[in-house]
């Protein structure tokens, strides 16, 4: 039986294709190496920052007294200290202030953000929808110090409010709203239109379709957007500097009175001239990272239990 032959043109084409394949493999390997290097830089940067905070913060939580390693219980039970105090104080008032302002801000902002997301996803059409979406994106990118300046000018400068936890919560509210609105809108768009059409075909009103079908389908994504917004707001300092009189050293639960937060205490202690307070700043930073890590863990837990992208 005669062996098949390959013409000169076919050999030329095969050689050219093999050369292109080899070039693609080399290019793919180079791009993969570059991406791995960039990923390593990002991860190492995060590890260096977190590791440095943890190492310095642990020395505040576990000080060495008379040659023995001890646990500083007072760090979690005492309020902050004034410059020059022998007792460096603790972080209790910062934790209380952070959680209270976050709770008030979220109580106001989450319904507004959810309503905006539902409107943009389910009702907004044409130019009005594009305008609202542009405003939300603009608000999300607004520098947080301008948010604090706005709250100071509108509420504090006009004597509507004094420097207080409520004023700080209003600043956090403005930060939370666009994050919830944009993230939840993106999640709602993942719901197939066939589910909406099925609900409407059964005679349900559109608002019932949204509440009974659309939102439950992506409940994990909605919770994720809310938790991410809270994690972002928990780390804000600039809006609170202008609204809360955060140098207060007392544990205060009245939102109409001056209040401090973890971020404000980090700022005040880090800029202090006293080494004891500088060290306290690392302890506050470690607690703040732990709070944000808990939000991140909650996001992972929620997204792991709710698969809304199928």
């Amino acid at each position: 039986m005669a062996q098949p032959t390959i013409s000169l043109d076919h050999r030329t084409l095969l050689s050219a294709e093999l050369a292109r394949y080899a070039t693609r493999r080399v290019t793919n390997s180079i791009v993969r190496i570059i991406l791995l290097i960039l990923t390593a830089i990002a991860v190492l940067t995060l590890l260096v920052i977190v590791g440095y905070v943890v190492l310095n913060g642990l020395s505040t939580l576990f000080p060495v007294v008379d040659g023995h390693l001890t646990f500083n219980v007072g760090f979690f039970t005492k309020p902050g200290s004034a410059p020059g105090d022998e007792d460096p104080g603790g972080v209790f008032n910062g934790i209380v202030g952070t959680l209270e302002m976050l709770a008030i801000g979220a109580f106001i902002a989450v319904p507004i953000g959810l309503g905006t997301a539902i409107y943009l996803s389910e009702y907004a059409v044409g130019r009005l929808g594009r305008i609202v979406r542009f405003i939300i994106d603009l608000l999300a990118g607004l520098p947080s110090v301008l948010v604090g300046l706005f709250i100071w000018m509108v509420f504090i400068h006009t004597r509507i409010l004094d420097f207080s936890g409520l004023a700080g919560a209003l600043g956090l509210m403005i930060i939370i709203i666009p994050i919830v609105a944009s993230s939840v809108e993106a999640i709602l768009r993942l719901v197939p239109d066939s589910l909406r059409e099925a609900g409407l075909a059964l005679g349900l009103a559109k608002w019932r379709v949204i509440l009974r079908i659309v939102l439950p389908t992506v409940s994990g994504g909605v919770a994720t957007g809310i938790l991410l917004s809270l994690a972002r707001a928990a780390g804000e300092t600039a809006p609170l500097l202008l609204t809360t009189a955060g140098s207060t050293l007392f544990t205060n639960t009245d939102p109409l009175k001056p209040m401090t937060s973890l971020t404000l205490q980090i700022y005040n202690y880090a800029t202090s001239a006293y080494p004891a307070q500088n060290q306290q700043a690392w302890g506050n930073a470690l607690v703040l990272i732990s709070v944000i890590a808990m939000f991140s863990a909650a996001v992972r837990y929620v997204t792991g239990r709710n698969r809304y992208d199928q």
Side-chain angles (χ1 to χ4, degrees), residues 33-261:
I33 292 172
I34 293 174
L35 293 177
L36 285 175
I37 292 173
L38 295 177
T39 303
I41 292 173
V43 173
L44 287 175
T45 301
L46 176 63
L47 291 178
V48 168
I49 294 174
V50 174
Y52 196 74
V53 172
V54 170
L55 288 176
N56 286 277
L58 287 177
S59 62
T60 302
L61 300 182
F62 299 94
V64 177
V65 180
D66 297 330
H68 298 284
L69 189 66
T70 60
F71 178 63
N72 186 6
V73 180
F75 181 75
F76 293 99
T77 59
K78 296 178 182 179
S81 62
D85 284 354
E86 294 184 2
D87 186 353
V91 74
F92 183 72
N93 57 337
I95 295 176
V96 171
T98 297
L99 295 180
E100 185 169 344
M101 285 188 284
L102 266 182
I104 296 173
F107 180 78
I108 303 172
V110 170
I112 298 175
L114 283 176
T116 304
I118 292 173
Y119 172 76
L120 291 174
S121 175
E122 307 296 326
Y123 292 98
V125 293
R127 180 178 298 178
L128 180 59
R130 291 193 296 270
I131 292 175
V132 174
R133 195 171 289 109
F134 173 77
I135 292 174
I136 291 297
D137 293 339
L138 184 63
L139 191 60
L142 197 67
S144 58
V145 67
L146 296 184
V147 174
L149 181 61
F150 170 78
I151 297 297
W152 181 83
M153 286 294 298
V154 174
F155 293 97
I156 297 176
H157 183 67
T158 58
R159 303 295 183 180
I160 296 176
L161 289 175
D162 293 325
F163 288 100
S164 61
L166 180 58
L170 292 178
L172 298 183
M173 174 199 72
I174 296 177
I175 292 173
I176 293 172
I177 288 175
I179 300 175
V180 173
S182 57
S183 60
V184 172
E185 182 201 358
I187 293 297
L188 292 176
R189 291 185 178 277
L190 295 177
V191 179
D193 289 335
S194 58
L195 291 179
R196 298 179 176 87
E197 294 167 357
L200 294 173
L202 292 174
L204 294 177
K206 188 170 184 177
W207 67 271
R208 286 187 178 273
V209 171
I210 295 171
L211 294 181
R212 299 287 184 86
I213 298 176
V214 176
L215 287 177
T217 302
V218 291
S219 58
V222 173
T224 298
I226 294 173
L227 290 172
L228 288 175
S229 69
L230 295 182
R232 160 72 189 280
E236 288 294 339
T237 306
L240 304 183
L241 280 172
L242 297 171
T243 56
T244 63
S247 61
T248 178
L249 304 176
F250 302 101
T251 302
N252 174 39
T253 57
D254 185 352
L256 297 179
K257 293 182 179 179
M259 189 175 292
T260 190
S261 70

